[in-house]
Amino acid sequence: MTAPGGAGRLDGAGGTGAEGAASAEIGVRTACPYCGVGCGVIASPDGKGGAAIRGDKDHPANYGRLCSKGSALGETIDMADRLLTPKVGGRDASWDAAIGLVAEKFQAAIRDHGPDSVAFYVSGQLLTEDYYVANKLMKGWIGSGNIDTNSRLCMASSVAGMKRAFGADSVPQAYEDLEETDLLVLVGSNLAWAHPVLYQRVIAAKAARPGMKVITIDPRRTASSDLADLHLPIRPGSDVALWNAVLSQVIEQGAVDAAYVAAHVDGFAEAAAEVRGTTAANAAAACGLDAADVETFINLWVRTEKVVTIWSQGVNQSSAGTDKVNAIINCHLATGRIGKPGSGPFSVTGQPNAMGGREVGGLANMLAAHLDIENAAHREAVQGFWASPAIPTKPGLKAVDLFEACRSGKIKALWIMSTNPAVSLPDADGVREAIAACDFVAVSDIIETTDTTRLADVLLPATGWGEKSGTVTNSDRTISRQRPFLPAPGKARADWKIICDVAQAMGFDGFDFEDEAAVYREHAALSGVAGKLGRDFDISDHAGLSREGYDGMAPFRWPLAGPRKGGRFFADGKFFTPSGKGRMLALELREPAQQLTAARPLRLNTGRARDHWHTMTRTAKSPRLSQHMGEPWLEVHPEDAAACGLKPADLAEVSSDRGTSILRVLVTDKTRPGVLFAPMHWTGEYAPTGRVCALPEPVVDPVSGQPELKSAAVSARRFRAAWHGFAAARGEFRPKTAYWSRARTKTGWRAELAHDAAPADWENFARDLFGLPHAATACVIDAARGIARVALLVEDRVAAVLFAAPEPVQVARGHVVAALDGDGPALPLLAGRPGADMPDPGAIVCACFDVGVNTILAAIAGQGLTSVEAVGDVLRAGTNCGSCRPEIRAILDGAIAARKEAAE
Ligand code: SF4
């Protein structure tokens, strides 16, 4: 493994190669491990295990920008909760023992039940080199297709849609197209929160060219709609009807590129016949939209030459996800608006290396290098290249089926790498049971206590971001190096190395790689084999890359050679289908698989929070990131809130036929009537009743196998608690109440609580809650009103504090936490509010500069501020990553409206 830093280090003394020469700053160039934007990061280790983080001005994904999550990376690399040694049956073990047991269990299952009795479930968090050897082991040596990935939950419908239309999984566009376009349409994509740096690029482009139009299509008016000229709050699942109307009007209004279609597109006549006569009014009725708005959108789309349609999980996570993707691509193919500067269809991935996983065949239905498992010539080419003993002739089990096979006993040995399926898959409680039911489960992870690691027979400690070395591919096909700048802690090993160690323990050759650079070279060489078979993914120019060349590798967009080098696909009309033409499809609207009923009358949409990532194993380590939304919430339209008896700040019990979640109510008209929204991040570690993926049925798109995570049929009602509480402590505590949600603070933890019965003795309850049985107390208890405020004192210092009341408690949480972090006396703290000399900043809006809503409101009122920029000038809020700018605008709009109302 490279020494931490290695090449790519910027040492001010020349560094290495072009990258080192590009800057005199000190640090190591690497890539952010979160979303599919794939921002370049410069990490400057502090020598004490931490690092200062800044954006890499030379990286083509972000040009120096970072979002709140990327900016806080340095706060997430501590050793808290790290898995530092292998464990067998919960006890520390040697690597030899752990590897030997994994190899033995997999060998036994294969011997007794065949290769399809074992499975790997891997992750878009893995580096490409890790992914490559995992796929090689499962497909080439074990001989099964049973390797699938959490990318199945993210972009499988885009892969399937692009394969149907283009013949290969080729994203045609590049990030600069978002800036060069005249019309940007965001479909099921909250770019502002899910891909914040791309959103910042769009903000800057629109500011520079105000004529550029942005339209958002989403059941929710999200932070991204802040920038939009038009928002269409589409009925969940009805996208195909809308895009069929666009295609119909493309044809009606003469916008078809007849020459391009004639020369390069199959299926036009069938698709045209399907949509003939479809109008904006038809689409508006099918999609639950205003007809005039739909007409405006369609006319703009049809009449704008440079149009980019970008989509994400709102399209993909659907039982008709692949059809939705193809309905969008149909419109681009018919107009020839594809693969051109500022014009084309663009899928943005959620995961940092979903694309790298696709490139090495990390999905159960793919071979490496974008080759097809169903194609005998492709199988032969891969097997021949590897000189492997086996190659599967059929796809393996996709994620949902894979865990069903664990439950049914078909899978006897399962290895989960770098992901948390007990939280993230639909019917998450059922998946937890399925993993528990599997005969043998190994989990590689960096964190010891996740919902999934708790179910493992063997735990394998992996290196994490900042320690590992390899490559990742972002959403626009740019491959970047992730470089280490910290030593591997404890006994942690790189994932690729753990996989190779197990392969060798199973007696397999082909896994004696010297280092990750050798894995990359083999991956690059295999892509050359694919290139010769006419496939899109070819980086074979790197097959002979030296270690130094690998370490100094600058970001590049594939393909690496040929006429399309670093550019776009398909403007030239050359596709990867057997006919060499793009394919349009005749598509009909299919409704979400889960029907609404009188008992389950609401749709539950799920998605991301601004400052958290996936199942929070990293972002929840940062107190700063936990300030924005401290607990899982439920967005409810006012009409639904009234119908369900829900008030703001209530707790709501949301139930489906699979499970129940308890979530904090946010009444808002940003979501459609009939559609609820909840974030997907919270886990058993942070809010056991906030695991919203427990609610959706495990139904999938029939083509892609991607689960329908955004359309659960649910009901909602008020969670009737005997008391609600807020608690904070200098140390860690884990409540046992019916509802709890906890988050880290600078010195400990904070929690929201609710329970169905009040304790007999609040002081003892507090001692038990915080695990401080001998603490002295200072209390204010009003038994008649059900109010209790208890401070626990250890050595005359407040160690923990609990506020309880029959309704959600009204205390200034930021103040309480800040006071606890300091050395304040107990009784003023029990007031739950700051004194007049200490203003309460309120809930944090700007995580970068710790600016709260009350501070912003005070500045608006006191200084007459009227713009987001003015707020930024005065408070710095919104001037770093910009992710909070939509919220600042909403606060401004509300304050200005209130001021006007008061004046009238
Ligand atoms: Fe990381 Fe934010 Fe960039 Fe995504 S947008 S890669 S989370 S810094």
Side-chain angles (χ1 to χ4, degrees), residues 31-41 61-62 65-71 73 191 193-200 350 352 610 613 881 883:
C32 175
Y34 295 128
C35 82
V37 179
C39 294
V41 165
N62 57 318
R65 297 176 177 95
L66 290 178
C67 75
S68 51
K69 295 183 283 283
S71 301
L73 272 166
L191 217 58
W193 282 17
H195 301 92
V197 164
L198 283 188
Y199 185 69
Q200 290 172 40
R610 191 190 76 191
W613 176 254
C881 78
S883 301

Side-chain angles (χ1 to χ4, degrees), residues 119 399-416 421-423 425-442 451-452 455-457 658 691 698:
V400 167
D401 293 339
L402 188 153
F403 286 96
E404 182 50 42
C406 291
R407 185 206 311 269
S408 69
K410 190 174 165 227
I411 297 294
K412 309 287 183 192
L414 171 68
W415 187 355
I416 298 166
V423 178
L425 274 161
D427 184 25
D429 291 348
V431 168
R432 194 159 57 181
E433 286 162 19
I435 297 170
C438 187
D439 288 355
F440 177 77
V441 178
D451 293 37
T452 299
L455 303 168
D457 299 294
R658 290 280 164 176
R691 301 167 68 252

Side-chain angles (χ1 to χ4, degrees), residues 796-876:
D796 293 333
R797 199 171 167 215
V798 181
V801 61
L802 167 69
F803 299 84
E807 297 293 321
V809 290
Q810 309 252 336
V811 295
R813 285 152 170 79
H815 159 70
V816 170
V817 168
L820 201 57
D821 285 345
D823 269 323
L827 287 175
L829 205 161
L830 283 183
R833 310 229 149 262
D837 57 331
M838 199 195 298
D840 172 18
I844 295 300
V845 174
C846 171
C848 296
F849 295 117
D850 261 355
V851 185
V853 61
N854 293 346
T855 308
I856 295 171
L857 283 168
I860 293 168
Q863 302 186 47
L865 307 181
T866 55
S867 70
V868 175
E869 289 69 28
V871 172
D873 288 344
V874 171
L875 301 172
R876 298 175 76 202

Side-chain angles (χ1 to χ4, degrees), residues 251-629:
I251 298 165
E252 285 277 315
Q253 297 186 31
V256 173
D257 183 337
Y260 184 84
V261 169
H264 305 302
V265 178
D266 286 331
F268 176 83
E270 294 83 353
E274 177 67 40
V275 304
R276 187 167 297 128
T278 310
T279 63
N282 299 145
C287 301
L289 294 168
D290 178 82
D293 284 349
V294 174
E295 192 166 346
T296 301
F297 159 64
I298 291 178
N299 286 340
L300 206 52
W301 203 100
V302 171
R303 296 168 192 176
T304 306
E305 193 53 39
K306 289 174 80 170
V307 50
V308 169
T309 309
I310 195 163
W311 70 88
S312 196
Q313 311 331 344
V315 167
N316 294 334
Q317 289 179 337
S318 159
S319 59
T322 309
D323 284 355
K324 292 180 186 179
V325 169
N326 285 109
I328 294 169
I329 293 174
N330 274 352
C331 299
H332 282 275
L333 286 174
T335 50
R337 295 171 188 162
I338 187 164
K340 295 178 178 170
S343 200
F346 201 160
S347 139
V348 282
T349 62
Q351 300 239 55
N353 197 30
M355 294 278 278
R358 285 146 71 168
E359 288 151 17
V360 300
L363 291 160
N365 53 324
M366 294 168 79
L367 285 180
H370 285 187
L371 293 167
D372 293 327
I373 220 163
E374 292 91 350
N375 184 313
H378 290 188
R379 291 197 302 270
E380 194 181 318
V382 174
Q383 189 175 10
F385 175 85
W386 280 338
S388 67
I391 199 81
T393 55
K394 61 178 185 0
L397 295 168
K398 294 172 185 156
V400 167
D401 293 339
L402 188 153
F403 286 96
E404 182 50 42
C406 291
R407 185 206 311 269
S408 69
K410 190 174 165 227
I411 297 294
K412 309 287 183 192
L414 171 68
W415 187 355
I416 298 166
M417 302 178 204
S418 198
T419 183
N420 200 355
V423 178
S424 54
L425 274 161
D427 184 25
D429 291 348
V431 168
R432 194 159 57 181
E433 286 162 19
I435 297 170
C438 187
D439 288 355
F440 177 77
V441 178
V443 178
S444 312
D445 209 305
I446 65 168
I447 300 294
E448 181 163 359
T449 50
T450 73
D451 293 37
T452 299
T453 56
R454 289 182 187 280
L455 303 168
D457 299 294
V458 174
L459 285 178
L460 304 165
T463 45
W465 183 81
E467 300 148 12
K468 58 202 286 182
S469 172
T471 54
V472 288
T473 309
N474 73 4
S475 294
D476 83 342
R477 292 179 274 113
T478 297
I479 296 180
S480 302
R481 283 280 278 115
Q482 258 196 30
R483 296 185 174 91
F485 55 88
L486 297 168
K491 294 182 180 174
R493 287 183 184 171
D495 283 288
W496 71 266
K497 180 79 172 86
I498 300 171
I499 297 160
C500 289
D501 289 345
V502 169
Q504 289 179 313
M506 291 173 78
F508 297 147
D509 57 4
F511 295 89
D512 54 347
F513 295 101
E514 180 191 349
D515 58 13
E516 66 279 9
V519 180
Y520 179 80
R521 281 192 292 272
E522 185 176 301
H523 159 55
L526 177 52
S527 78
V529 174
K532 287 199 181 79
L533 287 165
R535 306 309 290 169
D536 58 340
F537 178 72
D538 187 345
I539 57 166
S540 55
D541 281 13
H542 279 179
L545 199 65
S546 66
R547 176 78 223 194
E548 291 70 30
Y550 179 72
D551 284 338
M553 183 195 292
F556 69 95
R557 186 183 296 140
W558 66 260
L560 193 52
R564 289 159 163 169
K565 179 178 179 180
R568 301 172 177 84
F569 282 98
F570 309 132
D572 58 7
K574 292 181 182 148
F575 292 85
F576 299 98
T577 54
S579 68
K581 293 185 176 184
R583 252 189 242 122
M584 290 175 64
L585 285 97
L587 301 162
E588 281 178 30
L589 171 63
R590 280 190 290 116
E591 295 292 336
Q594 297 174 63
Q595 307 265 327
L596 297 182
T597 64
R600 307 282 185 225
L602 300 165
R603 285 262 173 245
L604 178 67
N605 179 13
T606 60
R608 294 188 190 282
R610 191 190 76 191
D611 288 350
H612 279 303
W613 176 254
H614 277 197
T615 60
M616 296 168 57
T617 47
R618 274 195 296 241
T619 49
K621 288 184 159 205
S622 163
R624 190 150 60 104
L625 294 181
S626 298
Q627 289 183 98
H628 181 238
M629 291 308 234

